[in-house]
Amino acid sequence: MLVPEILIECFTGAVDANGGINMDAVVLNDMTVSQVLISLTSIAFMITGLASFLLGIKTNMPLVQGPSVAIATLVTYTLCKTIGYSYFQSLAIVFISGIIFFILSVTGIEEKIHSIIPQNIKFAVSAGIGLLLFVNGFFKAHILENTNNGIKFINFYEFNENTLTAIVAVFGIVFIIVLLKYNVHGAVFIGKLLCIAAAFPLGLIHRGHKEYGWNMLDFFWKLDFSGLFINNNFIVLVVIIFAICIMDIFETISVYISMDYFVRESHIDHKNREVPEILEVDAVNTVIGSVFGMTNVSTYAESSVGIIDGGRSGLTAVITGMLYVLSVPFTPLISFVPSAATATTLMAVGIMMIGLVRKIDFENVAEVLPAITTMILMPLTGSILIGISVGIILYILIHLFLKKAEKISISLIILGVLFAIMLFFLPK
């Protein structure tokens, strides 16, 4: 599960200057990074199981839900590492956003919000998150390293653990791409297993802490609502919550739209009434997830695999959910996963998300600038929120000067103003 590997960076001391994970570092209530990672993974499995079960029962659709990679990235690199919130303060923000998301879902407002965002910006957001994940994969593989003189490409002449990690990651990602090219199901997972197998004889396996126990109770109902107004800044908090809701709406509706082809080909009944139902379950699962200690829940694009392989009803989601819950006792094995395996996963997922860049209208320069800016700013700033905000603001300004009122609604302008205010007050 990728989300815990992203969220572990929320904890101070979990990652060293070069992006490596300090498995023995104590970061929470006498728990080591290894134990926190196991706990987060256990919670992620449990929440994925519960969320998928509820979605299958409520909508009778073969769709699976679980912790969102995109919002986990937002929580880690924007809320925690950029703004300075703790992980449990971030969970409180997710809790609030889940309640607001539910209100927006039952009132139908969420679909109106989704409709005002320019289509090219939506594609750019997915591609930008993909770039961010891909670059982070390079750092985790030690192919790129942070130094006092800036970012440096690894020196392969220095034969050490970082060099071996980089080599394993390179061969791992190449293997995954070959499998993807041949349409092999589970290509990313197979590639990750290959990296783990290669890491054993090379001595790259994390031994972690002597004790591999974990305690999920350290995360249950630990929402920290105190200190949310950093520097007494109410506006930043409001815009962040709004941005999380927007991203959640983007993910869920976009996945449903992307599933439409497979759903029609499989002759599954998919009336429009199911869209608000999926969003409502999404919101409820997000609230439940935050209480258990996990970030936003969203619908997984990987649901298409289940549909292609024969999934026809909510029973697919129910069984998948049950299998996830049964996987919880085996999560200590995650401690053995080397950073090379994590890196290849980040890069592979990033590549697939970057692919949506092809849907951007490159024939229209007025659409290209906001979209490309959105996409590029995410890996450069490490902030998804900044990328979205600047992209939308540029889009509005360009079309105002072009006097194309049909391209920008009053609602979009209001959204742009909110993002501009957020950028001004965002802690530097």
Side-chain angles (χ1 to χ4, degrees):
M1 174 90 45
L2 179 59
V3 168
E5 296 170 358
I6 295 173
L7 293 177
I8 195 64
E9 295 194 35
C10 293
F11 299 89
T12 304
V15 179
D16 60 30
N18 292 321
I21 299 177
N22 297 320
M23 284 293 190
D24 290 321
V26 177
V27 292
L28 176 68
N29 299 338
D30 296 326
M31 293 174 67
T32 64
V33 170
S34 174
Q35 293 168 328
V36 171
L37 189 57
I38 294 170
S39 299
L40 288 174
T41 305
S42 299
I43 295 168
F45 282 173
M46 187 166 55
I47 292 304
T48 300
L50 178 61
S52 300
F53 183 88
L54 291 177
L55 185 66
I57 294 294
K58 175 67 174 176
T59 67
N60 196 33
M61 290 287 287
L63 302 177
V64 177
Q65 286 194 332
S68 163
V69 173
I71 297 178
T73 306
L74 172 70
V75 167
T76 299
Y77 297 104
T78 300
L79 269 66
C80 293
K81 300 189 78 171
T82 301
I83 298 178
Y85 286 118
S86 71
Y87 182 67
F88 297 109
Q89 286 175 321
S90 298
L91 288 181
I93 293 173
V94 169
F95 179 85
I96 296 170
S97 71
I99 293 175
I100 295 174
F101 186 16
F102 181 77
I103 295 172
L104 295 176
S105 299
V106 296
T107 58
I109 296 175
E110 85 295 325
E111 291 185 79
K112 295 178 182 177
I113 293 175
H114 184 266
S115 65
I116 68 174
I117 305 299
Q119 192 66 32
N120 287 299
I121 296 291
K122 295 176 185 177
F123 295 139
V125 168
S126 294
I129 293 171
L131 274 175
L132 178 59
L133 293 176
F134 188 79
V135 170
N136 287 332
F138 265 50
F139 280 104
K140 285 193 177 296
H142 300 287
I143 296 171
L144 295 179
E145 295 183 331
N146 279 311
T147 68
N148 293 331
N149 297 321
I151 298 174
K152 182 189 74 172
F153 186 73
I154 188 170
N155 184 357
F156 285 99
Y157 291 106
E158 297 177 3
F159 199 73
N160 53 32
E161 184 176 319
N162 287 350
T163 307
L164 288 173
T165 297
I167 293 172
V168 171
V170 169
F171 279 99
I173 190 63
V174 169
F175 185 74
I176 289 172
I177 295 303
V178 171
L179 292 181
L180 288 172
K181 185 64 178 178
Y182 282 103
N183 299 314
V184 176
H185 291 318
V188 176
F189 181 66
I190 294 172
K192 192 166 188 174
L193 290 179
L194 179 67
C195 288
I196 294 173
F200 266 104
L202 295 173
L204 300 177
I205 291 295
H206 296 303
R207 296 300 177 185
H209 197 265
K210 292 189 282 189
E211 301 294 335
Y212 285 102
W214 70 100
N215 186 1
M216 291 187 287
L217 290 179
D218 281 347
F219 291 85
F220 182 76
W221 198 249
K222 299 297 183 181
L223 308 175
D224 183 5
F225 293 93
S226 64
L228 292 186
F229 304 113
I230 289 182
N231 298 326
N232 297 317
N233 205 325
F234 176 76
I235 296 177
V236 171
L237 181 62
V238 170
V239 177
I240 287 172
I241 292 173
F242 185 69
I244 292 176
C245 288
I246 291 291
M247 289 178 67
D248 213 341
I249 292 169
F250 280 177
E251 282 198 324
T252 301
I253 293 182
S254 297
V255 168
Y256 184 85
I257 292 171
S258 67
M259 293 300 101
D260 185 64
Y261 170 77
F262 301 110
V263 169
R264 283 187 287 105
E265 287 294 302
S266 301
H267 307 292
I268 300 173
D269 179 26
H270 66 302
K271 297 177 182 178
N272 289 333
R273 61 180 174 77
E274 290 169 345
V275 176
E277 285 182 355
I278 293 173
L279 291 169
E280 290 168 19
V281 176
D282 188 334
V284 171
N285 285 331
T286 290
V287 172
I288 295 173
S290 66
V291 170
F292 276 86
M294 185 50 58
T295 51
N296 286 61
V297 171
S298 189
T299 306
Y300 283 157
E302 289 81 358
S303 301
S304 60
V305 176
I307 296 173
I308 292 171
D309 287 339
R312 296 292 181 271
S313 68
L315 183 61
T316 301
V318 170
I319 292 177
T320 302
M322 292 172 64
L323 290 174
Y324 263 107
V325 173
L326 292 174
S327 300
V328 172
F330 302 98
T331 49
L333 295 174
I334 193 68
S335 296
F336 290 98
V337 177
S339 57
T342 303
T344 54
T345 305
L346 287 168
M347 287 188 278
V349 173
I351 288 169
M352 289 185 279
M353 295 182 72
I354 292 169
L356 284 175
V357 71
R358 69 184 183 277
K359 293 185 176 292
I360 296 174
D361 181 12
F362 284 98
E363 299 297 323
N364 186 345
V365 69
E367 297 279 344
V368 172
L369 177 61
I372 295 300
T373 301
T374 297
M375 187 172 65
I376 295 299
L377 279 180
M378 290 182 185
L380 290 180
T381 63
S383 171
I384 297 169
L385 197 55
I386 290 176
I388 296 173
S389 302
V390 175
I392 288 179
I393 292 169
L394 281 177
Y395 183 92
I396 293 171
L397 290 174
I398 288 171
H399 288 89
L400 279 175
F401 282 110
L402 289 175
K403 298 180 180 179
K404 291 190 175 181
E406 72 278 4
K407 289 279 189 176
I408 48 174
S409 63
I410 296 298
S411 300
L412 182 61
I413 292 175
I414 293 173
L415 180 62
V417 170
L418 286 173
F419 279 135
I421 295 172
M422 183 274 299
L423 289 175
F424 181 80
F425 287 97
L426 191 68
K428 303 299 186 290

